[in-house]
Amino acid sequence: MRNRVDTVEEFWDQSDINEAYDRSSLNSIESFASEFCAYLDVKPSSFSFFPSGRLALQELLQSRADNRNTVLVPAFNCKCVQSSIRTAGHQIKLYDFSSEFGCFDWDRIINLITPSIGTVIVTHYFGVPYDFIPLHDFCKKRNIAIIEDCAHTLGG
């Protein structure tokens, strides 16, 4: 590991994760995973840990089984999100907020969805989870995956 600990996940690689694992106690990772899964009320067997959100997003997109390879993603987003999408072999189509501050115009966003879009990313900004039921219902009927980017709202 570096002399200086970098807490920004985009600079971590697998060797950093492996070294942190080696330095941890024998059951600290398993304990964390178990407690985190219990907190979320999910079975540990249905949960995967990744060294970064970037790698998790890439894996999720690469695991999609259909040929719709365009991802609809907010224009205001971390560059790592767009990098992950491209690395996974997908195309990007951007959407923006509505003209009303802090809101999304879900109907306008739904109108941007074309047959090539297989995934929509909804980013919850600044600790505020957004209600996206209209988008959810639309996507569910068309088998379009929704990925919630909750980096700012974990536990919100």
Side-chain angles (χ1 to χ4, degrees):
M1 218 180 223
R2 301 170 186 94
N3 290 334
R4 204 171 126 243
V5 175
D6 190 326
T7 59
V8 180
E9 70 180 24
E10 67 190 65
F11 299 111
W12 296 355
D13 60 27
Q14 193 62 46
S15 66
D16 294 325
I17 301 302
N18 292 342
E19 184 168 342
Y21 181 86
D22 291 342
R23 290 180 178 205
S24 65
S25 66
L26 290 178
N27 67 354
S28 63
I29 292 174
E30 291 80 8
S31 294
F32 172 79
S34 176
E35 289 178 33
F36 192 66
C37 289
Y39 172 76
L40 295 175
D41 196 26
V42 296
K43 294 179 182 176
S45 61
S46 66
F47 203 84
S48 297
F49 285 90
F50 290 87
S52 70
R54 175 192 307 199
L55 292 175
L57 179 57
Q58 284 173 218
E59 178 70 26
L60 183 59
L61 291 173
Q62 289 170 337
S63 72
R64 294 280 297 151
D66 66 31
N67 60 358
R68 296 177 292 172
N69 70 344
T70 302
V71 179
L72 190 60
V73 64
F76 179 65
N77 216 313
C78 174
K79 68 180 180 178
C80 295
V81 172
Q82 292 186 28
S83 174
S84 294
I85 293 168
R86 287 188 185 102
T87 301
H90 291 261
Q91 303 298 312
I92 296 170
K93 183 173 183 177
L94 300 174
Y95 68 87
D96 209 348
F97 293 103
S98 72
S99 56
E100 184 180 340
F101 292 120
C103 294
F104 287 101
D105 181 346
W106 298 118
D107 291 331
R108 191 179 81 178
I109 293 166
I110 287 169
N111 287 331
L112 294 174
I113 296 177
T114 62
S116 68
I117 292 177
T119 306
V120 177
I121 295 179
V122 174
T123 303
H124 300 282
Y125 295 105
F126 312 115
V128 180
Y130 289 99
D131 179 3
F132 58 96
I133 299 251
L135 177 67
H136 175 271
D137 294 345
F138 179 89
C139 290
K140 186 173 183 177
K141 290 177 187 172
R142 288 155 184 83
N143 196 28
I144 297 171
I146 295 178
I147 298 173
E148 292 184 72
D149 179 350
C150 301
H152 293 217
T153 58
L154 185 61

